[in-house]
Amino acid sequence: MVNWQIFVEKILPQKPSYHAELIQIDDENQIGIFSDVSESVLYFGFVKHTDQQTLSTLISMMDDFARKNSKTQIVGPIDGATWGNYRFQWQIELPLLYSGQPTYSRKSCDQFISSGYNICEKYETVQIQNIEKIEQDLQLFKKNTLSDLKFEKPTVSIFTENRLELLALLNEIFSENFQYTQMSDIEMHIILSGIQKFINYDLSLVARNSQNQIVGFMLNATREQTLFLKTIGFKKEYRHQGLSVFKMMEQLFKNIANQTEFQMQEIIICLMKKNNFPSLVSAYLTERKNEYVLLQKIL
């Protein structure tokens, strides 16, 4: 996760139109705020507090700052960018921790809501244990082919040698996310460093088109008998109304079947926007789930 110091020293200089500062009582009680000076939205993150009363005071201080600086909307928590630690925990049923799981608690969320903040986006992480049902459903797409796509396992060299290509791809795919801002090369370096710590290269995939360009990916992690589908994305023109994801899943199951080290008992799909395509498809297979929320306040 990115802390305040890394944000102001490495990321903020890449965003010359941004201003950031700390709303602070002391080192243990503070909220980091940032915004594009030309826009009316103020973002908050990097929240630290010792008790709920102190958090309430910090929220009031932040609201006052926003009003004095002609901001009409406050959104968070976002620790500098939506690829970092953001969103509050809302409903937690899954005990397993995974890389990138939001750390901000429901209790803190409730304090913001009592201060006039509202939920503007919901996200979910779902657990699926009926692996046989997934395999059966993938058979429905067996006859469908995608002549313009091929799938392969990622390697360390793919991430290093294609960094700028991957940066453009990520910025295109995730630009659809609420409050996403374009990533810089510095941010991409931080992200790739994190990915290489959790990724299972044998059970992850990248998709290439007929020109050998990377146009999609599925980055996965494993722990014991659990497969974490951490990040899935395709360029718009290669989604084929969701068929690309199904064909990639088909290849993933083949790769799992062809190895013996990992015996999958469950799948956890991490941090989907609620009601997006993967969320809707997985809904009827879900046993348990976590929900996370992003808040906003209109001033």
Side-chain angles (χ1 to χ4, degrees), residues 83-261:
W83 53 262
N85 183 34
Y86 81 109
R87 297 161 291 206
F88 286 108
Q89 298 175 14
W90 185 252
Q91 173 187 340
I92 303 299
E93 298 176 352
L94 305 178
L96 285 175
L97 298 177
Y98 53 87
S99 176
Q101 183 175 2
T103 62
Y104 290 119
S105 70
R106 172 65 188 266
K107 187 176 181 181
S108 296
C109 180
D110 289 342
Q111 185 65 58
F112 275 86
I113 289 176
S114 69
S115 300
Y117 285 73
N118 299 296
I119 296 172
C120 60
E121 291 281 354
K122 280 191 175 184
Y123 307 81
E124 58 187 7
T125 290
V126 304
Q127 177 192 52
I128 300 171
Q129 292 180 311
N130 193 346
I131 307 300
E132 293 78 12
K133 176 61 175 172
I134 297 177
E135 292 178 306
Q136 291 172 9
D137 290 347
L138 288 174
Q139 293 299 312
L140 299 174
F141 304 94
K142 196 79 172 179
K143 296 180 180 179
N144 298 90
T145 59
L146 294 174
S147 58
D148 57 342
L149 287 180
K150 59 181 179 180
F151 303 114
E152 64 184 60
K153 298 177 184 179
T155 62
V156 174
S157 61
I158 283 179
F159 289 124
T160 55
E161 296 171 8
N162 300 275
R163 190 179 77 254
L164 295 181
E165 182 181 354
L166 288 169
L167 173 60
L169 176 62
L170 286 172
N171 275 328
E172 178 178 340
I173 290 173
F174 294 121
S175 63
E176 301 167 23
N177 291 353
F178 182 68
Q179 301 299 350
Y180 179 79
T181 57
Q182 294 286 294
M183 289 188 297
S184 64
D185 190 34
I186 292 293
E187 291 173 275
M188 187 63 179
H189 175 75
I190 295 172
I191 291 172
L192 290 182
S193 297
I195 287 174
Q196 292 175 9
K197 291 178 181 178
F198 75 78
I199 187 175
N200 184 319
Y201 287 93
D202 288 330
L203 298 181
S204 294
L205 291 164
V206 295
R208 292 186 184 269
N209 63 12
S210 55
Q211 289 78 46
N212 209 39
Q213 299 168 321
I214 299 175
V215 296
F217 51 81
M218 177 185 285
L219 304 180
N220 303 328
T222 54
R223 185 185 308 150
E224 297 178 352
Q225 296 177 313
T226 300
L227 174 69
F228 294 87
L229 302 187
K230 187 65 181 65
T231 307
I232 307 171
F234 276 90
K235 296 184 73 168
K236 280 186 178 180
E237 62 265 38
Y238 293 97
R239 293 176 186 174
H240 302 294
Q241 296 182 316
L243 180 59
S244 296
V245 173
F246 290 121
K247 298 305 286 186
M248 184 176 268
M249 286 291 294
E250 182 183 315
Q251 182 61 54
L252 172 63
F253 272 75
K254 288 180 182 177
N255 291 351
I256 292 173
N258 289 334
Q259 53 84 59
T260 57
E261 293 183 2

Side-chain angles (χ1 to χ4, degrees), residues 6-17:
I6 291 175
F7 174 63
V8 296
E9 292 180 359
K10 295 186 176 181
I11 298 174
L12 199 61
Q14 310 298 317
K15 303 178 185 293
S17 63

Side-chain angles (χ1 to χ4, degrees), residues 4 7-8 12 18-24 30-36 41-47 58-59 61-67 69 71 74-75 78-80 112 117:
W4 178 256
F7 174 63
V8 296
L12 199 61
Y18 271 60
H19 170 78
E21 64 179 86
L22 282 176
I23 301 295
Q24 187 176 39
Q30 59 189 38
I31 299 177
I33 56 172
F34 59 99
S35 66
D36 188 317
V41 181
L42 180 71
Y43 302 100
F44 73 88
F46 308 100
V47 181
L58 286 168
I59 294 171
M61 292 168 64
M62 179 172 65
D63 290 355
D64 289 343
F65 176 94
R67 293 187 181 94
N69 289 273
K71 302 297 182 182
I74 307 175
V75 175
I78 303 174
D79 283 8
F112 275 86
Y117 285 73

